[in-house]
Amino acid sequence: MRSMRGTFSLKITAFVLAFLFTAMSFLPSARVDAASQATRDQMEYWRRHQQTANQAVTEQQNLLEGTYAEMHGVMAQIQALDQQMQDALMTLEVIEHALWDTETRIAYTETALYEAQIEWELQNEVLRMRLRAMYEAGPVGYVAILLQAENFADFFMRLEYVTVIYNADRRALARMEEAWIHLENTSTQLSREEILLRDLETYESEAIAELERLMEERGAWFAELANDAEQLEALIAILEEEARAIDAEFGLVQAQYRAELAEAERIRLERQRQERLEQQRQAEAARAAEVAANPTAAAAAATSSSFDGQFAWPLPARGPGDISSPFGPRTNPVTGRSENHSGIDIPAPAGTRIVAAADGVVRLAGWSGGFGITVIIDHGNGYSTLYAHNSRNRVVEGQRVSRGDHIADVGTTGQSTGNHLHFEIRRNGTPVNPMNYF
């Protein structure tokens, strides 16, 4: 999601800015004060605006994420309501089918009850007529039927007929009455079922109407949230554009601030160089005066301080096997041109300790063109050593050092592609292969 990527980039920007300001807080006070107050005020102004803009973007992105989450919840509710609606419609369809079946059975039962009632009334009328005839004929009727028998066999047969007719009439009447009562009970039960089904039909219809209302309400809610999300996305785009503009302004002011610091540092180093040159001139003048005053003692001192040309390895943390560029012909890694490499390159992490390869006097401790921050030590008898691309020098010009003294730290100043020590041995001003002198 674009807004999530924006949030991640803003967090990274804030982290980088926090790191830069933390790093700046450790700069020497002389360098910080070297930058103009107006530039520092502008940096603080844009830094505050940067924090405010980033905070505004973050707040709106949090609101947008909350809106998306709420939309997701509403959509889940709509889906659940839709499922309930489908279930309710199916239930209503089942109820309507059962109601139709019940109404059909009621109509059938009412028809059967009507027919049973007519048949019962007809049978009852036949029985009444038979009873009335029997009553009018009196007991003699059955007796007469029996006495008309021609013999005993006929008598018993007639008696059996009379009994069968009587019992059949009683059973038929009882069955019809039982069937009628059953039909009446069935009709009553079906009527109750019809009432219950109609109540269920009403309930389900009301439930469906309520579900439709809730779905319409949730739909309006979702549309409102979608509109809010669209407006938030537009607002975030505007705020991100403003934040980028503020970042650009801050970058310009920061570049100006760094340029002022660099210029102040250049002026400071140039001032130190001039002071050291002046000290060197004064020292040379003093030595010249001393030689003029006592030529014999000066010659004896020069003879006693003669150097034998044996050097110690200048980078104790690394060995001869770590050389990345030896002495002699090579292609310059910065300019790409063929050249004669005047020393050896020994790669090492920034800040690694560099030591003096032999006793001597520091003749240069400062910036030296493409060598960057450099130290040159005069060892006497025509020998000198050069230590270049340093991140920091630990000695000053005119200082006397001994073999193994900490004189500088590894860096990548000047024309350099990475942290390393460029080390040279010179004899009478001409570079020689250092590997022949360890």
Side-chain angles (χ1 to χ4, degrees):
M1 183 183 294
R2 179 181 57 79
S3 61
M4 294 180 69
R5 292 197 298 269
T7 302
F8 180 75
S9 63
L10 288 174
K11 291 180 179 178
I12 293 298
T13 302
F15 173 80
V16 172
L17 290 176
F19 173 80
L20 289 175
F21 277 99
T22 302
M24 289 178 184
S25 66
F26 289 97
L27 291 173
S29 58
R31 292 187 63 193
V32 175
D33 293 340
S36 68
Q37 183 62 42
T39 303
R40 294 200 301 272
D41 291 343
Q42 286 184 6
M43 283 187 64
E44 180 62 23
Y45 171 82
W46 287 112
R47 183 184 67 81
R48 290 197 301 269
H49 277 266
Q50 194 176 46
Q51 291 177 343
T52 302
N54 292 342
Q55 182 178 359
V57 171
T58 301
E59 290 176 352
Q60 297 305 316
Q61 286 175 338
N62 290 337
L63 287 176
L64 180 60
E65 291 177 1
T67 302
Y68 283 147
E70 193 172 0
M71 289 174 65
H72 181 75
V74 173
M75 179 56 67
Q77 294 181 27
I78 292 176
Q79 292 175 348
L81 289 172
D82 181 69
Q83 184 60 48
Q84 293 179 28
M85 174 74 76
Q86 298 301 322
D87 295 342
L89 289 173
M90 290 182 63
T91 302
L92 181 61
E93 184 177 354
V94 171
I95 291 172
E96 289 176 346
H97 184 272
L99 183 60
W100 175 83
D101 182 68
T102 301
E103 289 174 346
T104 302
R105 289 166 60 194
I106 287 174
Y108 174 79
T109 303
E110 288 177 348
T111 300
L113 182 62
Y114 176 75
E115 293 175 352
Q117 184 177 4
I118 293 175
E119 184 178 357
W120 183 86
E121 288 177 352
L122 290 174
Q123 185 66 29
N124 192 39
E125 181 62 25
V126 170
L127 183 60
R128 281 201 303 272
M129 291 174 63
R130 195 190 313 278
L131 291 175
R132 185 165 54 249
M134 289 174 63
Y135 175 77
E136 291 174 354
V140 179
Y142 279 116
V143 173
I145 293 172
L146 295 175
L147 292 178
Q148 291 177 3
E150 297 177 358
N151 49 45
F152 281 105
D154 187 28
F155 175 81
F156 286 110
M157 184 180 66
R158 288 174 180 269
L159 178 61
E160 184 178 359
Y161 285 159
V162 170
T163 303
V164 169
I165 291 171
Y166 176 75
N167 290 333
D169 288 340
R170 289 182 59 189
R171 285 195 300 271
L173 188 60
R175 284 196 303 271
M176 284 189 293
E177 185 175 3
E178 182 180 352
W180 189 14
I181 294 172
H182 174 72
L183 289 173
E184 284 184 338
N185 291 337
T186 301
S187 178
T188 301
Q189 180 64 27
L190 289 174
S191 297
R192 291 174 181 172
E193 291 180 5
E194 181 184 17
I195 294 172
L196 177 60
L197 288 171
R198 291 201 178 278
D199 289 342
L200 290 174
E201 182 182 32
T202 301
Y203 174 79
E204 286 299 322
S205 298
E206 292 175 352
I208 290 173
E210 177 64 14
L211 288 171
E212 290 176 344
R213 185 190 68 78
L214 290 174
M215 287 186 67
E216 183 178 356
E217 178 184 286
R218 295 302 187 276
W221 186 7
F222 186 85
E224 183 179 352
L225 290 172
N227 183 61
D228 292 344
E230 183 178 357
Q231 293 181 0
L232 283 171
E233 288 178 349
L235 177 59
I236 288 172
I238 294 173
L239 291 175
E240 287 179 340
E241 184 63 28
E242 293 178 353
R244 284 191 290 271
I246 292 173
D247 289 342
E249 292 291 341
F250 181 83
L252 292 175
V253 176
Q254 190 178 51
Q256 180 181 350
Y257 178 77
R258 289 173 176 171
E260 291 179 1
L261 289 180
E263 179 63 16
E265 180 68 9
R266 187 193 65 78
I267 293 172
R268 184 184 69 82
L269 292 174
E270 179 62 22
R271 186 182 297 114
Q272 287 182 352
R273 192 180 71 83
Q274 294 295 336
E275 291 174 353
R276 289 166 183 163
L277 287 175
E278 180 61 27
Q279 292 174 359
Q280 184 176 356
R281 283 194 295 268
Q282 293 176 1
E284 290 176 352
R287 285 196 297 274
E290 183 180 356
V291 170
N294 193 352
T296 303
T303 302
S304 64
S305 62
S306 61
F307 179 64
D308 62 1
Q310 294 298 312
F311 294 92
W313 189 254
L315 207 60
R318 292 289 186 269
D322 296 319
I323 294 174
S324 60
S325 182
F327 179 86
R330 72 163 186 176
T331 299
N332 190 302
V334 177
T335 64
R337 295 193 297 267
S338 297
E339 66 176 10
N340 186 60
H341 192 213
S342 58
I344 59 174
D345 290 343
I346 311 170
T352 302
R353 186 168 61 96
I354 302 171
V355 301
D359 300 346
V361 178
V362 178
R363 296 306 180 196
L364 173 66
W367 192 272
S368 180
F371 284 134
I373 299 176
T374 304
V375 171
I376 297 178
I377 301 176
D378 181 6
H379 302 286
N381 203 20
Y383 288 98
S384 64
T385 51
L386 178 143
Y387 313 78
H389 304 307
N390 309 330
S391 63
R392 178 181 179 184
N393 287 340
R394 301 284 184 168
V395 293
V396 295
E397 293 174 6
Q399 179 179 342
R400 182 168 292 278
V401 296
S402 300
R403 183 191 303 258
D405 284 350
H406 185 187
I407 61 171
D409 298 335
V410 169
T412 183
T413 56
Q415 290 186 358
S416 171
T417 58
N419 292 299
H420 71 285
L421 167 64
H422 173 81
F423 176 72
E424 291 185 12
I425 295 178
R426 296 176 178 179
R427 186 167 188 184
N428 298 321
T430 302
V432 295
N433 189 350
M435 301 308 294
N436 297 329
Y437 291 84
F438 293 118

